[in-house]
Amino acid sequence: MLRLTTWRWVPSFARGLVRDVRVRWALEELGLPYETRLIAHGDADFGGYFSQQPFGQVPVLEDGDLVLFESGAIVLHLAGKGTALMPEDPADRARVMTGVLAALNTVETAIVPLVEIDLFYADQPWAEQRRPDAEAQARKRLAELSSWIGGRDYLLGAFSAADLMMASVLRPLQHSGLVEADPNLCRYRDRCLSRPAFERALADHYADLDGTGPSQGR
Amino acid sequence: MLRLTTWRWVPSFARGLVRDVRVRWALEELGLPYETRLIAHGDADFGGYFSQQPFGQVPVLEDGDLVLFESGAIVLHLAGKGTALMPEDPADRARVMTGVLAALNTVETAIVPLVEIDLFYADQPWAEQRRPDAEAQARKRLAELSSWIGGRDYLLGAFSAADLMMASVLRPLQHSGLVEADPNLCRYRDRCLSRPAFERALADHYADLDGTGPSQGR
């Protein structure tokens, strides 16, 4: 049995962007049923939550007795269960792992400083001075990513966990227009995000946040 | 045959901190021999390098025909070759993967903004205003990490790839004194970094940078 833990409420800027969406997307691509456990920072049991997640973040995925965190580790763990997100060949699996890590540690890390300035720090005196360099760093990485994609549909042959993670880390840039400014990159992102599994994942994320979704069983 | 690609020269602030050190450390823990290929930004062949590494970063690891990048993906790939950095049990392997990703995406991402301010942006007008919050974020993560370690020697039973990566991401903080301010965390870091495999990895990193190391065969 798989159980996903995530927030029952988030501020409006975070709606749709919590990292449970990535894990839900992987679960949907693999056709794996799961329960959700919804928690709040103020829950009486939140202290206990740190025994599962030492940094107090979401999501956590319980796979039987195995308690996993870090959306990257969870997506790689789930991807290993089938071939929908990773080919069978061990060398191809290593390539997919490289793509997932590139999304999280090279692309997302170049995007987050810009997103944080725009979403969290816009009123700080330093933000205006810092922003041009943060935007330049993000643009540089996006240009390199677009070159890597080249004329292909996906990063590594068929759609894989690498594309799931790469399209996911691009999502918080929507307000900036940076992805839209590169038609090749924009087509790639939209190709990934138009998958029915992503649409179901996002709908379930909102349903749980709005209290209209099933909190158990699906 | 394993071949590691890294820089032949870096500016003084980066000496000892390039990400090839993590991969060399994993190779040493596993007792795997490897060649090094040393490149420079100005090398005539650098354009061709982007076909191996779309973001122009180091390290790259070639494992026969398989070309891998991202230090996290390379360390996980190498760790899977034996049991020195990952137990045999699949659930334990998933836990190690969670620890590696937590190092890279939760701890390192909270440390880098502070390190960048101190190493790259110290003379920027915004740096002084931004620094207190960046330091607070790093301190918060380090306190959570220290609680996670608790009274144990390593994150997950025996020394694993999770500890290799966690100790590695703490290294660029040395100038700040933040790790030293937490005796439990400091002992953990030093326990990891006193391993002979790390010492050999770091020595080989410097030897290659200084032109005194073997660039092929070892």
Side-chain angles (χ1 to χ4, degrees):
Chain A
M1 190 58 216
L2 298 167
R3 185 169 76 153
L4 178 71
T5 301
T6 187
W7 303 127
R8 82 172 71 241
W9 178 88
V10 294
S12 61
F13 68 79
R15 282 175 59 90
L17 297 177
V18 185
R19 291 180 180 206
D20 67 294
V21 176
R22 302 166 180 188
V23 173
R24 291 176 189 265
W25 187 2
L27 289 160
E28 293 289 343
E29 292 283 357
L30 290 155
L32 295 171
Y34 64 102
E35 287 181 6
T36 52
R37 175 177 62 148
L38 303 179
I39 60 168
H41 280 88
D43 277 2
D45 66 344
F46 192 72
Y49 184 61
F50 276 81
S51 69
Q52 288 199 331
Q53 217 300 359
F55 304 99
Q57 300 167 320
V58 299
V60 159
L61 185 81
E62 288 160 275
D63 183 353
D65 291 337
L66 177 61
V67 180
L68 296 177
F69 52 95
E70 291 291 329
S71 61
I74 297 171
V75 166
L76 284 169
H77 170 73
L78 291 172
K81 289 178 179 283
T83 56
L85 291 175
M86 263 190 178
E88 199 111 39
D89 176 62
D92 286 333
R93 292 196 158 208
R95 289 185 185 99
V96 169
M97 194 158 64
T98 284
V100 170
L101 271 289
L104 290 168
N105 265 76
T106 292
V107 178
E108 188 174 52
T109 49
I111 286 172
V112 163
L114 179 65
V115 171
E116 286 186 345
I117 286 172
D118 291 348
L119 297 190
F120 302 139
Y121 299 126
D123 60 345
Q124 293 289 309
W126 55 267
E128 195 179 345
Q129 295 169 326
R130 173 80 178 100
R131 196 181 188 287
D133 184 62
E135 183 177 316
Q137 301 266 348
R139 278 186 190 277
K140 175 174 178 292
R141 278 287 178 265
L142 294 179
E144 290 161 350
L145 172 59
S146 185
S147 294
W148 186 20
I149 297 164
R152 293 168 299 138
D153 283 353
Y154 299 110
L155 288 172
L156 304 158
F159 179 81
S160 75
D163 303 297
L164 182 157
M165 198 56 85
M166 197 62 84
S168 294
V169 306
L170 297 176
R171 295 184 59 238
L173 277 177
Q174 204 140 14
H175 70 284
S176 73
L178 291 186
V179 175
E180 290 72 11
D182 181 331
N184 182 54
L185 186 60
C186 190
R187 278 193 301 273
Y188 166 76
R189 183 200 62 188
D190 292 347
R191 189 178 300 123
C192 296
L193 299 185
S194 65
R195 295 174 68 84
F198 172 73
E199 291 172 1
R200 285 196 300 273
L202 193 61
D204 285 344
H205 163 82
Y206 283 123
D208 272 341
L209 284 179
D210 296 338
T212 61
S215 65
Q216 288 216 66
R218 39 192 356 109
Chain B
M1 190 57 216
L2 297 167
R3 185 169 76 153
L4 178 71
T5 301
T6 187
W7 303 127
R8 83 172 67 242
W9 178 88
V10 295
S12 61
F13 69 79
R15 282 175 59 90
L17 297 177
V18 185
R19 292 180 179 205
D20 67 293
V21 175
R22 304 165 179 189
V23 172
R24 291 176 190 264
W25 186 2
L27 289 159
E28 293 290 344
E29 292 283 356
L30 290 156
L32 295 171
Y34 65 101
E35 289 182 4
T36 52
R37 175 178 61 148
L38 303 178
I39 60 167
H41 280 89
D43 277 2
D45 66 343
F46 192 72
Y49 184 60
F50 276 81
S51 69
Q52 287 199 331
Q53 216 301 358
F55 304 99
Q57 300 166 320
V58 300
V60 159
L61 184 82
E62 290 160 274
D63 182 354
D65 291 338
L66 177 61
V67 180
L68 295 177
F69 52 95
E70 292 290 330
S71 61
I74 297 170
V75 166
L76 284 169
H77 171 73
L78 291 172
K81 288 178 179 284
T83 56
L85 291 175
M86 261 189 181
E88 198 110 39
D89 175 61
D92 286 333
R93 292 196 158 208
R95 290 185 184 101
V96 170
M97 194 158 64
T98 283
V100 170
L101 271 288
L104 291 167
N105 265 76
T106 292
V107 178
E108 188 174 52
T109 49
I111 287 172
V112 163
L114 179 66
V115 171
E116 286 186 345
I117 286 172
D118 291 348
L119 297 189
F120 303 140
Y121 300 125
D123 61 344
Q124 294 288 309
W126 55 267
E128 196 179 344
Q129 295 169 326
R130 173 80 179 98
R131 198 182 185 285
D133 184 62
E135 183 178 315
Q137 301 265 348
R139 278 187 190 277
K140 175 174 179 290
R141 279 285 178 266
L142 295 179
E144 291 161 349
L145 172 59
S146 185
S147 294
W148 185 21
I149 297 164
R152 293 169 297 137
D153 282 353
Y154 299 110
L155 289 172
L156 304 158
F159 179 81
S160 75
D163 302 298
L164 183 156
M165 198 57 85
M166 197 63 82
S168 294
V169 305
L170 297 176
R171 295 183 58 237
L173 278 177
Q174 204 140 15
H175 70 285
S176 73
L178 291 187
V179 175
E180 289 73 10
D182 180 331
N184 182 54
L185 186 61
C186 191
R187 278 193 302 272
Y188 166 78
R189 182 200 63 189
D190 293 348
R191 188 178 300 125
C192 296
L193 298 185
S194 65
R195 296 175 68 85
F198 172 74
E199 291 171 0
R200 285 197 299 275
L202 192 62
D204 285 345
H205 163 82
Y206 284 123
D208 271 342
L209 282 179
D210 296 338
T212 61
S215 65
Q216 291 215 64
R218 41 190 353 112

